[in-house]
Amino acid sequence: MRFPAATWSRSLWLTSTFATLVLGIAAPLAYWGIILSTRVPQIIGVGVVSLAGALLLGTALFVVRGYVIDGHVLYVQRLMFSTKLPISGLHGIWRDPTACKGSVRLYGNAGLFAFTGLYRSDSLGMYQLFGTDLNKSVVLKLAHHVIVITPAAPEEFIAQVRSLFPSVALESSRNDGLSAGMSA
C-alpha cells in the first residue's frame, strides 16, 4: 500500500528555496563578477558553478515522495528510485511530532528538498530519517534500528502497519497521553 509523504513544512520550503537561490542564481552571478574583476582562471569558476548545479540536482533526486509497504519491507519513494528498508523486526510504532527535536545530524540532508539521513537524539538514540514535515513524524522501532518517516496521514499509516503486524505495540510519544506499550 502506498502512502504519500506529508506536504513540505514551512522550514523545508524556506531552506530549499534559499539554498536553490544561492546555488542556482547567486553562485553563477558571483562567478561572473569574480571573473570580470579578477584574473581567476575561468576553469575554477566553471567548476564552482558546476558543483553548485550538481549539488542541487543530486539532492533533488533524494526528495521523499512517499512510502510503500510491501510485505516486510518499507520503500521510501524518491524522485527516480526507492530506498528499501526491511521492517521484519518491527516491534513498536507511534506518532510523535517531537521525535526529531534536539536531534543531531550525523550524516545526511537537513532541509534541501527533504530531511534525510542518520540522526541521533537522547530519546530515540541513533535513527534514520526520511521526511518532509517533522510535525507528522511516525517512529518505527525495530530490534536494533529506529526509522522516522513523515506520511501525509500518520494515523492511516500506523493503522495499516498494525493490520499487517498485529503484534506490534502502539507505543506512546512524549506528548500524546497514551501509556507506553499500549497495544490498542
Side-chain angles (χ1 to χ4, degrees):
M1 180 163 212
R2 183 182 189 284
F3 296 88
T7 57
W8 286 15
S9 66
R10 182 178 184 160
S11 65
L12 184 58
W13 271 110
L14 291 173
T15 302
S16 297
T17 301
F18 178 74
T20 300
L21 290 173
V22 168
L23 293 171
I25 297 172
L29 288 176
Y31 158 68
W32 287 112
I34 291 170
I35 290 299
L36 294 176
S37 64
T38 66
R39 296 193 188 271
V40 174
Q42 187 173 0
I43 190 71
I44 292 174
V46 170
V48 168
V49 172
S50 297
L51 183 61
L55 183 61
L56 273 176
L57 179 61
T59 53
L61 294 174
F62 287 87
V63 68
V64 176
R65 294 180 32 241
Y67 312 93
V68 173
I69 301 172
D70 185 13
H72 286 46
V73 177
L74 171 66
Y75 292 95
V76 179
Q77 295 181 315
R78 307 303 188 103
L79 192 59
M80 298 175 67
F81 64 96
S82 292
T83 300
K84 180 180 178 179
L85 302 167
I87 57 171
S88 57
L90 185 66
H91 63 82
I93 186 168
W94 66 95
R95 179 174 182 193
D96 187 354
T98 63
C100 299
K101 291 220 189 276
S103 293
V104 175
R105 178 175 34 121
L106 303 174
Y107 173 80
N109 179 358
L112 184 53
F113 307 124
F115 301 109
T116 58
L118 187 61
Y119 288 74
R120 177 160 183 64
S121 73
D122 290 339
S123 61
L124 296 177
M126 203 167 315
Y127 65 93
Q128 283 185 285
L129 173 61
F130 302 92
T132 53
D133 182 354
L134 301 180
N135 289 320
K136 295 200 174 196
S137 293
V138 172
V139 179
L140 294 97
K141 188 170 185 182
L142 292 92
H144 302 289
H145 193 75
V146 176
I147 301 167
V148 177
I149 63 170
T150 62
E155 290 80 11
E156 289 177 27
F157 179 85
I158 291 169
Q160 180 65 32
V161 169
R162 298 229 29 244
S163 73
L164 296 170
F165 301 91
S167 64
V168 169
L170 177 61
E171 297 187 24
S172 69
S173 74
R174 293 179 292 263
N175 297 323
D176 68 5
L178 297 172
S179 59
M182 182 176 161
S183 53

